[in-house]
Amino acid sequence: MNKEAPAGDVGFLLQSGFVTRAMFGLLGSDGWRLAVSPDGLAFKDAISHR
């Protein structure tokens, strides 16, 4: 995988019932992050390295 621009995204989504509960990768920056959500709408960083 390769992202075209620093502000782009490349990552993996983990879903339950088609609702994203966690995602990890280079999301919105060149720093790696794992973000989680209780509802699939609001995400918080669980782990990040920027």
Side-chain angles (χ1 to χ4, degrees):
M1 295 189 293
N2 187 27
K3 58 183 208 161
E4 190 172 312
D9 295 331
V10 64
F12 293 92
L13 301 178
L14 304 173
Q15 298 181 327
S16 175
F18 297 103
V19 175
T20 301
R21 300 301 178 151
M23 55 187 175
F24 64 93
L26 306 176
L27 308 167
S29 73
D30 283 336
W32 185 89
R33 81 184 240 211
L34 165 65
V36 295
S37 172
D39 58 10
L41 299 174
F43 286 85
K44 294 192 179 206
D45 284 351
I47 303 171
S48 66
H49 183 271
R50 298 182 191 235

